[in-house]
Amino acid sequence: MGELSPFPVRASAAAGEVDALYFFIVAVSTIMTALIFFVVLSFAIKYRRRSPDERPRPIHGSIPLEITWSVIPFGIMLIMFGWGTKLYFELYTPPKNALDVYVTGKQWMWKVNYPEGQREINELHVPTGRAIRVTLASEDVIHSFFIPAFRTKHDVIPGQYVAIWFQPTKPGRYHLFCAEYCGTQHSTMGGWVTVMEPADYEAWLAGTERGASMVEEGAKLFQQFGCANCHVLNLTARCPPLGNVYGNPVKLEDGRTVIADEAYLRESILNPNAKIVAGYKRDVMPSFQGQVSEEGLLQLIAYIKSLSNPNERRP
Ligand code: CUA
């Protein structure tokens, strides 16, 4: 790790391209600033007023010149825009086969849940060579999940899920920060990401104490809250069946179709009337707002996800 380098190490697959875009924008800005500066300076000298009664000759504009200095910068801006947009969509569209990790921000710590039941605080362990999808939630205020070495940063907003992803490339330990002022101890809210070779990661997973898996915890909550009384697996009852719901389109009463992703499931638990499934009634299901913690919600959702593809297992 270059101690004095102005840039953090590049430890994820996307880091190189993020840096390249950054350098491109800095280079363009520097060249344009220098160009404007020198042109202003040389024109100020060349066309300075030489005597008090000097009258400058009127000038007539030049259409070709105007077009040139409009079109070229416009093209350069479009490159920035196009490149930035492409990168943005890549950075925030997790691939389908990604490993899942769940991170909840809470004043002032990061709680990490692995699907198999391992838990950590302010520590995140990931293998190299795999895409890692991190689902972010907040228990209280806005935090920001920031891993400089991966060039990834995203606000974590109470009341919604954000999924980010990265593919670690270099084993090592990297800083994890909260990058949003979130109260008096904001500066202490951080930790470490440990990137390991896949075999070491497997050994770490196996050797780390684990509780019930997220799916098992979710199943427990599902019973505890009485969800099973109405949501019969594949049977049409008073409430929509939950088997095979996750990841699939759901037809709503108002004619819209939505994809049942984490955000949809979360909303349906906390605010069941927000989106009524076609063919079902309003006000049948009570809201569970305030009764389930963010962790509990993630577990419930993990359980509902497991109903869609019960054979899906992490390698
Ligand atoms: Cu959380 Cu700053």
Side-chain angles (χ1 to χ4, degrees):
M1 217 179 279
E3 291 299 324
L4 278 174
S5 162
F7 283 89
V9 262
R10 297 188 190 118
S12 76
E17 198 179 345
V18 173
D19 285 1
L21 174 59
Y22 179 79
F23 288 131
F24 174 72
I25 293 174
V26 169
V28 168
S29 309
T30 309
I31 291 167
M32 291 309 283
T33 306
L35 197 69
I36 292 167
F37 176 79
F38 284 112
V39 170
V40 167
L41 190 71
S42 58
F43 281 9
I45 294 166
K46 187 168 178 205
Y47 299 109
R48 70 187 183 279
R49 201 179 190 195
R50 283 153 220 266
S51 70
D53 52 351
E54 181 181 326
R55 289 276 170 275
R57 269 185 294 125
I59 55 151
H60 304 282
S62 159
I63 299 274
L65 200 59
E66 298 257 7
I67 289 176
T68 310
W69 72 44
S70 304
V71 166
I72 293 176
F74 179 66
I76 297 174
M77 298 295 159
L78 275 188
I79 293 174
M80 289 181 189
F81 171 76
W83 190 356
T85 308
K86 170 188 161 276
L87 194 54
Y88 180 89
F89 279 107
E90 280 169 13
L91 288 177
Y92 294 107
T93 315
K96 283 253 173 323
N97 62 349
L99 277 182
D100 270 313
V101 182
Y102 300 87
V103 174
T104 309
K106 181 178 190 292
Q107 285 170 322
W108 286 277
M109 64 179 93
W110 295 108
K111 296 198 287 186
V112 179
N113 282 267
Y114 298 85
E116 293 87 346
Q118 292 85 350
R119 288 163 195 220
E120 296 190 283
I121 286 176
N122 294 337
E123 289 280 345
L124 171 64
H125 286 74
V126 288
T128 55
R130 279 290 305 264
I132 315 290
R133 186 170 86 131
V134 183
T135 302
L136 296 161
S138 168
E139 200 84 64
D140 37 44
V141 299
I142 301 178
H143 303 279
S144 178
F145 187 77
F146 182 29
I147 307 171
F150 296 168
R151 307 292 188 276
T152 186
K153 184 187 200 178
H154 206 292
D155 275 11
V156 185
I157 297 159
Q160 69 184 54
Y161 289 142
V162 184
I164 60 159
W165 77 281
F166 46 78
Q167 181 165 324
T169 49
K170 237 191 222 164
R173 263 167 82 72
Y174 308 104
H175 264 300
L176 159 64
F177 294 105
C178 175
E180 182 76 50
Y181 181 70
C182 55
T184 51
Q185 288 172 58
H186 153 73
S187 63
T188 64
M189 183 167 168
W192 292 91
V193 182
T194 306
V195 176
M196 300 185 278
E197 298 288 356
D200 297 339
Y201 176 73
E202 289 308 320
W204 174 84
L205 264 191
T208 302
E209 194 198 331
R210 44 161 287 192
S213 74
M214 288 183 70
V215 173
E216 288 160 2
E217 292 284 359
K220 252 185 260 170
L221 290 173
F222 198 79
Q223 293 301 329
Q224 188 186 319
F225 287 118
C227 312
N229 297 343
C230 296
H231 291 284
V232 190
L233 241 188
N234 286 310
L235 229 138
T236 309
R238 278 192 301 153
C239 304
L242 297 180
N244 240 4
V245 105
Y246 175 76
N248 290 311
V250 175
K251 241 184 126 38
L252 301 183
E253 181 199 42
D254 60 12
R256 283 182 301 156
T257 299
V258 293
I259 296 291
D261 56 6
E262 281 88 350
Y264 167 82
L265 295 176
R266 176 202 164 88
E267 181 185 59
S268 299
I269 297 169
L270 298 179
N271 184 9
N273 283 337
K275 296 194 173 76
I276 300 290
V277 177
Y280 292 90
K281 288 203 184 64
R282 211 160 266 282
D283 296 321
V284 171
M285 174 171 160
S287 162
F288 287 86
Q289 188 90 50
Q291 299 185 51
V292 206
S293 66
E294 286 300 330
E295 233 170 331
L297 278 170
L298 287 170
Q299 290 161 345
L300 272 172
I301 290 167
Y303 172 66
I304 296 169
K305 280 166 81 168
S306 77
L307 301 176
S308 283
N309 30 3
N311 300 323
E312 194 199 56
R313 302 232 58 207
R314 298 222 306 182

